[in-house]
Amino acid sequence: MPEAAKPSRRQQILEALARELETHPGMRITTARLAEVVGVSEAALYRHFPSKAKMFEALIEFSEESVFGLANRILGEESQAAKRCERILAMLLTFSDRNPGITRVLLGEALVGEHERLRARVAQFFSRFETQLKQVLREGEQAKELDMRASVSAIANLLMAVVEGRMTQFSRSGFANSPLESWEQQWRVLHAGLFPHSDG
């Protein structure tokens, strides 16, 4: 069997940063520490990323590409609105579960003291996700699939609050409590309360 392709130095740096964010949650990650972990000089590190902000930006870009790529796939596979919501939310929680270090970036915890544009970028990530939920809910309402107890905006915002809360609890537990724990039961409660006469 052919040997798996060796990750590029750029990818190694990003993986090291994500790992450091996961294993040292209270510590500020320096470029000197990252260079040591990757096994290169700081000068070599800067050849791939001109600043630490650019490294964080690359992690956010990876999150955007992964999450919204998967969301589009779900929307292509699933036509029922409530099921679409369930699967998209579970996908984001699964992404968080598999990427603890990146979860700290998305929640803004790892960005304290970093450039303000990074915080704006993660805010945009969640705003875009909420917009996607609104679209799914609006289409479900128009197709008379969903009998909703509140407005599209109110429900989308509530679902985001639940998911972001689960991610925050995951981080606060030191990544001991998976954001997916009890999710199926919680979704049943949310579904029954928000869409009382809808299938899914």
Side-chain angles (χ1 to χ4, degrees), residues 153-167:
S153 293
I155 290 177
N157 186 253
L158 174 61
L159 293 174
M160 287 306 299
V162 171
V163 170
E164 289 182 59
R166 299 252 46 195
M167 291 169 69

Side-chain angles (χ1 to χ4, degrees), residues 80-91 93 129 133 136-137 146 148 155-156 158-160 162-163 166 179-196 198-200:
Q80 209 271 334
K83 202 74 185 164
R84 278 179 158 188
C85 286
E86 178 187 7
R87 287 185 61 187
I88 288 171
L89 294 168
M91 175 271 292
L93 292 175
F129 198 93
L133 277 177
V136 170
L137 292 168
L146 298 179
M148 296 191 283
I155 290 177
L158 174 61
L159 293 174
M160 287 306 299
V162 171
V163 170
R166 299 252 46 195
L180 288 163
E181 191 178 325
S182 305
W183 172 247
E184 287 183 16
Q185 293 174 57
Q186 291 172 341
W187 174 254
R188 283 197 295 272
V189 172
L190 286 167
H191 185 278
L194 296 173
F195 319 122
S198 309
D199 293 331

Side-chain angles (χ1 to χ4, degrees), residues 29 44 72 92 112 136 156 159 168:
I29 311 299
N72 286 335
L92 181 54
V112 175
V136 170
L159 293 174
T168 300

Side-chain angles (χ1 to χ4, degrees), residues 125-140:
F125 171 89
F126 285 108
S127 176
R128 182 179 168 190
F129 198 93
E130 186 168 341
T131 298
Q132 186 121 63
L133 277 177
K134 285 179 185 174
Q135 183 64 29
V136 170
L137 292 168
R138 202 169 284 117
E139 287 173 5

Side-chain angles (χ1 to χ4, degrees), residues 5 7 25 66 70 81 111 145 149 163:
S66 301
L70 288 168
L111 302 178
E145 279 181 41
R149 287 275 180 93
V163 170

